[in-house]
Amino acid sequence: MHFDIMVGSVLGASEYVAEALLASIKAAGHDGECHFEPSVSSLNKANILLICTSTHGAGDLPDNIENYAKDLAKLDLSGVNAIVIGLGDSSYDTYCGAAMKMETLIVQQGATLLTEPLHIDVLNHPIPEDTAVEWIEEQLPLILEKTS
């Protein structure tokens, strides 16, 4: 299985998480690619779409994924299998707001979520990539079962 990891990042934490996820996915015998400047031209319905984004401001999308979200809103995502991972700070009322926006968007456009989204609280998990890797290792068998 191939995973396209679309990364929304402001300060780099989501990039570290995406790279750790990709290493874990490859170690499990699968393939993938991190897209640090996401574009819908990379969208391939045969691949699993994994959105990994932080939140900034008042629950806003990072600048590097904003246009990607606008472009996704114009597409029919029927047949797209997706996973959403968000990073946030639970001391804010907009905790993981960007991930929630992306989740809502892709589901409205017809994508199927393969798992409940993972929201990583950086207050409780100062090394978010460890949490993400542990989670993806648990989820991979379930994800593959749903896509086979």
Side-chain angles (χ1 to χ4, degrees):
M1 184 60 57
H2 186 93
F3 291 75
D4 283 316
I5 305 173
M6 303 301 176
V7 183
S9 188
V10 177
L11 301 175
S14 293
E15 292 175 12
Y16 292 129
V17 169
E19 289 169 341
L21 287 166
L22 182 58
S24 183
I25 287 165
K26 286 184 173 183
H30 305 286
D31 195 20
E33 185 177 352
C34 290
H35 301 269
F36 300 110
E37 292 296 328
S39 165
V40 294
S41 65
S42 307
L43 188 64
N44 181 338
K45 291 185 178 188
N47 299 342
I48 293 177
L49 171 63
L50 194 162
I51 296 173
C52 179
T53 186
S54 61
T55 299
H56 86 106
D60 299 324
L61 294 170
D63 289 345
N64 75 307
I65 202 167
E66 212 166 10
N67 285 335
Y68 178 71
K70 288 176 185 172
D71 291 342
L72 282 179
K74 301 172 190 169
L75 299 178
D76 175 5
L77 299 179
S78 300
V80 172
N81 289 310
I83 301 166
V84 177
I85 297 176
L87 281 72
D89 179 333
S90 63
S91 68
Y92 292 92
D93 61 354
T94 57
Y95 171 65
C96 286
M100 291 180 211
K101 285 178 182 176
M102 291 302 292
E103 173 191 354
T104 299
L105 170 65
I106 63 174
V107 169
Q108 283 176 343
Q109 297 308 113
T112 300
L113 286 180
L114 296 174
T115 66
E116 287 294 317
L118 172 64
H119 294 160
I120 302 172
D121 185 354
V122 296
L123 287 182
N124 298 322
H125 303 281
I127 305 173
E129 52 268 34
D130 290 349
T131 303
V133 164
E134 182 180 311
W135 182 83
I136 199 72
E137 288 173 354
E138 291 172 2
Q139 295 297 318
L140 265 176
L142 304 170
I143 290 165
L144 297 172
E145 192 176 291
K146 290 180 180 179
T147 58
S148 59

